């Protein structure tokens, strides 16, 4: 039995149809909803005659597409390939984009022989992104924001999903860890970063890589996009490939003058600490997507993300408490929760 859409959803569908009719001067032949975005944004594939486009739909009460449009122009000026915008109505929250197809970096991994070559090409893009000028649409990635991101882990993963009891001792060590990570991230060269530069946000189209989901770009630590790419929550590189690409990223960023004469050992430490912050946040976001947004599909990514957290924490003396906690308490609790869902 098909449920009738809510009055709000029906009004949104009418607005969507009107926007498309205005662009095509006709009713499109086919409009298909696409799944998989970890946000309030909705995407539709629109087919009409020989035209295939993607419609981005963000209801104004949920968000603003102005940053998406403005940062699209910024990335284009910096010679970073992003989707071409065909039409937009920022007041209504609609953007019509070129259709890049369905092949992401994630789809070209696995059995492909040239995986290191893919990553080397993408690493070579990072200086171009890093040098993009500051935009008014980039939110400040300051200490308060980094702190807030980290608390997504303690609130949504530990407290809300796992029901983990946070002791005073744990809270005290957590505060010290956050201070250390904030200092480590703010002590790096601050550049423009994509912020989600991973295998699901990079597409292969017409024999080149195209970057999507750039609308949350900010100014932040130079290691962040390297971490997003090489310690991807959706794909774990073999250790030998990771070590090669970590060294390659150091060489590329050093040659571009973005590492302030840091040694490779310093760079590895920065990468590890930046990754620890990102993965703590990501694990919390995956739990939040399930609890708040009704998207259970990301729960499967929590365990590999926690493995990154454990691997980084165990290498820092003052973070041994977190490594022990993740390995002996948090991972077993997550496994039990996932088992209950089967």
């Amino acid at each position: 039995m098909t449920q009738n859409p809510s009055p709000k959803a029906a009004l949104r569908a009418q607005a969507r149809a009107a926007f498309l009719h205005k662009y095509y001067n006709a009713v499109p032949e086919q409009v298909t909803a696409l799944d998989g975005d970890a946000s309030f944004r909705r995407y539709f594939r629109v087919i009409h005659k020989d035209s295939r486009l993607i419609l981005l739909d963000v209801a104004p009460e949920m968000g603003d597409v102005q940053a998406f449009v403005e940062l699209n122009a910024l990335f284009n000026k910096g010679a970073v390939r992003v989707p071409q915008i065909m039409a937009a109505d920022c007041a209504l929250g609609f953007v019509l984009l070129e259709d890049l197809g369905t092949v992401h970096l994630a789809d070209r991994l696995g059995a492909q022989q040239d995986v290191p070559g893919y990553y080397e090409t993408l690493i070579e893009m990072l200086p171009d992104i890093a040098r993009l000028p500051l935009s008014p649409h980039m939110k400040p990635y300051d200490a308060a924001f980094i702190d807030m991101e980290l608390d997504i882990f303690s609130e949504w993963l530990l407290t809300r999903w796992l029901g983990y009891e946070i002791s005073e001792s744990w809270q005290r060590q957590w505060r010290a860890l956050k201070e250390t990570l904030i200092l480590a991230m703010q002590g790096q060269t601050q550049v423009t970063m994509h912020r989600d530069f991973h295998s699901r946000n990079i597409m292969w189209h017409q024999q080149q890589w195209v970057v999507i989901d750039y609308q949350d770009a900010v100014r932040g630590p130079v290691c962040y996009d390297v971490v997003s790419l090489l310690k991807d929550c959706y794909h774990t590189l073999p250790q030998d490939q990771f070590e090669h690409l970590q060294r390659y990223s150091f060489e590329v960023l050093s040659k571009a003058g973005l590492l302030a004469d840091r040694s490779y050992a310093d760079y590895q430490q920065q990468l590890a600490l930046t990754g620890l912050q990102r993965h703590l946040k990501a694990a919390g976001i995956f739990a939040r997507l399930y609890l708040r947004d009704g998207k259970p599909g990301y729960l499967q990514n929590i365990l590999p993300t926690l493995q990154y957290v454990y691997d980084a924490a165990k290498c820092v003396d003052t973070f041994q408490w977190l490594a022990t906690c993740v390995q002996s308490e948090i991972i077993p609790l997550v496994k039990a929760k996932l088992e209950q869902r089967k």
Side-chain angles (χ1 to χ4, degrees), residues 105 119 126 193-202 221-235 237 242 271 274-275 277-279 281 308:
L105 171 61
Y119 280 89
L126 292 179
M193 63 187 205
H194 178 284
R195 199 165 155 218
D196 273 315
F197 195 71
H198 58 66
S199 61
R200 294 187 182 178
N201 282 340
I202 302 165
V222 67
C223 285
Y224 198 96
D225 280 348
V226 179
V227 165
S228 300
L229 183 65
L230 301 188
K231 294 188 174 185
D232 188 342
C233 297
Y234 308 112
H235 178 77
L237 286 166
F242 172 77
L271 205 70
T274 302
Q277 190 273 347
R278 174 173 169 79
H279 293 122
K281 175 197 73 171
Y308 285 135

Side-chain angles (χ1 to χ4, degrees), residues 22-276:
K22 182 178 179 180
Y23 177 78
Y24 288 105
N25 197 28
V27 176
E29 295 167 1
Q30 187 177 338
V31 180
T32 307
L34 303 177
D35 298 323
D37 190 66
S39 73
F40 50 80
R41 293 178 284 272
R42 299 190 69 197
Y43 290 91
F44 298 82
R45 175 164 280 114
V46 184
I47 299 175
H48 186 67
K49 297 181 179 178
D50 295 330
S51 168
R52 293 173 61 94
L53 298 175
I54 298 295
L55 176 66
L56 165 62
D57 177 351
V58 179
E61 67 272 16
M62 297 296 293
D64 184 359
V65 298
Q66 190 71 42
F68 186 97
V69 173
E70 296 291 339
L71 290 173
N72 180 281
L74 182 71
F75 273 67
N76 262 320
K77 287 179 184 176
V80 179
R81 177 77 164 89
V82 290
Q84 182 182 354
I85 292 178
M86 316 305 293
D89 188 323
C90 293
L92 289 177
F94 296 119
V95 183
L96 202 55
L97 305 152
E98 70 171 307
D99 188 346
L100 300 171
T102 60
V103 181
H104 297 75
L105 171 61
D107 301 308
R108 292 180 68 88
L109 302 176
Q112 294 287 342
Q113 296 299 308
D114 195 32
V115 168
Y118 297 159
Y119 280 89
E120 287 174 3
T121 300
L122 293 166
I123 287 167
E124 289 162 8
M125 291 172 60
L126 292 179
D128 291 330
I129 296 175
R131 293 190 184 109
L132 292 173
L134 181 66
S135 163
H137 294 284
M138 294 179 188
K139 296 177 182 177
Y141 197 70
D142 54 16
F145 195 87
I146 297 170
D147 184 274
M148 177 276 294
E149 285 191 325
L150 284 163
D151 279 341
I152 296 171
F153 174 80
S154 56
E155 177 184 353
W156 288 93
L157 183 82
L158 298 190
T159 303
R160 296 196 182 211
W161 190 46
L162 298 180
Y164 182 82
E165 188 173 338
I166 296 177
S167 66
E168 288 186 18
S169 172
W170 197 99
Q171 192 67 261
R172 184 171 61 253
Q173 293 176 103
W174 177 246
R175 285 194 295 269
L177 177 141
K178 290 197 294 180
E179 290 172 7
T180 300
L181 295 182
I182 289 168
L183 288 173
M185 295 174 78
Q186 293 191 316
Q188 298 175 41
T189 306
Q190 301 295 291
V191 302
T192 293
M193 63 187 205
H194 178 284
R195 199 165 155 218
D196 273 315
F197 195 71
H198 58 66
S199 61
R200 294 187 182 178
N201 282 340
I202 302 165
M203 301 193 69
W204 182 248
H205 180 65
Q206 297 180 346
Q207 303 303 303
Q208 63 179 321
W209 295 111
V210 187
V211 179
I212 62 173
D213 276 4
Y214 49 78
Q215 64 278 344
D216 293 322
V218 295
R219 296 287 282 189
V222 67
C223 285
Y224 198 96
D225 280 348
V226 179
V227 165
S228 300
L229 183 65
L230 301 188
K231 294 188 174 185
D232 188 342
C233 297
Y234 308 112
H235 178 77
T236 303
L237 286 166
Q239 188 61 28
D240 60 335
Q241 288 186 15
F242 172 77
E243 290 173 1
H244 162 70
L245 292 166
Q246 181 178 234
R247 168 66 76 168
Y248 190 76
S249 68
F250 172 74
E251 292 169 355
V252 168
L253 294 177
S254 293
K255 187 177 180 180
L258 295 171
L259 294 182
D261 296 324
R262 294 274 187 177
S263 69
Y264 183 54
D266 286 342
Y267 176 73
Q268 288 177 290
Q269 179 75 352
Q270 288 181 337
L271 205 70
L273 295 178
T274 302
L276 182 55

